[in-house]
Amino acid sequence: MHSLKLWLDRSPAAQAVMILALGTGLTALFRQGSHPLVWVVQGAFYTAVSVGFLAVQRRRAGRVTGKDPRGVADLTRRIRHREVPSDPGEREAMRRLVDDQLGKLERAGRWLPYWLGIAGLVVVGMLVLGAISGSPVFPAIFTVAVAAFCYAIFRMRRHTLALYRHMRSALEDPS
């Protein structure tokens, strides 16, 4: 399992295969009456968009750190495991990556109340439509799903901010 996770972490081709399989499977699940070729085409479209997005992120992280994509993947793995490199060059590259990611998270946090407000409006609208139509089951399930999703986003954000702040302080400490 460890080697599979490492392979998926380092290999864009492995990520593309995984996204294609998941995209095709989910399309087949939600469009059961369609031709299987439609499933594959939509899965390929999802894969192309996802891989393009990931490539832009990797290129940006590579410019920030001065490393190739494999080096950036290694740095992010080391950040997740809270490993501080002893090599000064690696420390500097990791510090730049941590500062960049932490800055992005903090800038995105300014928009969080607005996104939560929009999600709240959608939930209230669904509940009102459910009450008017006389079928409140789906809106209630939708409300619980949106609340669970928002809670998960808050937990991930808090954990990631704590991780990057810890790494920033560990990288600034000369010992």
Side-chain angles (χ1 to χ4, degrees):
M1 184 57 112
H2 177 69
S3 61
L4 176 67
K5 285 173 54 177
L6 193 61
W7 182 55
L8 282 171
D9 192 32
R10 290 185 176 172
S11 172
Q15 293 170 0
V17 169
M18 181 70 78
I19 294 169
L20 179 64
L22 287 173
T24 303
L26 287 174
T27 302
L29 181 66
F30 290 114
R31 295 185 177 250
Q32 294 176 359
S34 299
H35 192 275
L37 184 61
V38 172
W39 302 341
V40 174
V41 169
Q42 284 186 331
F45 175 73
Y46 301 148
T47 302
V49 169
S50 300
V51 167
F53 182 71
L54 290 172
V56 167
Q57 281 187 327
R58 282 180 183 243
R59 188 174 304 125
R60 184 175 185 275
R63 281 195 310 263
V64 167
T65 61
K67 299 235 176 235
D68 63 335
R70 182 167 285 205
V72 171
D74 186 49
L75 284 177
T76 57
R77 182 194 59 76
R78 292 174 85 177
I79 290 170
R80 281 193 314 266
H81 292 274
R82 297 178 184 245
E83 297 173 5
V84 178
S86 58
D87 179 42
E90 288 285 315
R91 283 177 77 96
E92 180 60 26
M94 186 180 281
R95 188 195 57 76
R96 285 193 307 261
L97 183 62
V98 166
D99 287 343
D100 179 60
Q101 295 297 318
L102 192 56
K104 283 185 356 186
L105 276 170
E106 289 170 348
R107 283 190 303 276
R110 287 185 250 156
W111 290 96
L112 195 58
Y114 300 109
W115 286 113
L116 290 175
I118 290 170
L121 287 174
V122 168
V123 164
V124 168
M126 288 292 292
L127 287 174
V128 168
L129 286 174
I132 290 172
S133 71
S135 176
V137 174
F138 175 72
I141 292 171
F142 181 76
T143 301
V144 169
V146 169
F149 178 74
C150 289
Y151 178 72
I153 293 296
F154 273 130
R155 279 187 53 100
M156 279 191 309
R157 179 178 162 69
R158 187 175 12 174
H159 172 74
T160 305
L161 279 170
L163 173 68
Y164 282 127
R165 286 178 179 146
H166 168 78
M167 288 305 293
R168 177 189 275 172
S169 66
L171 289 167
E172 288 174 354
D173 188 26
S175 58

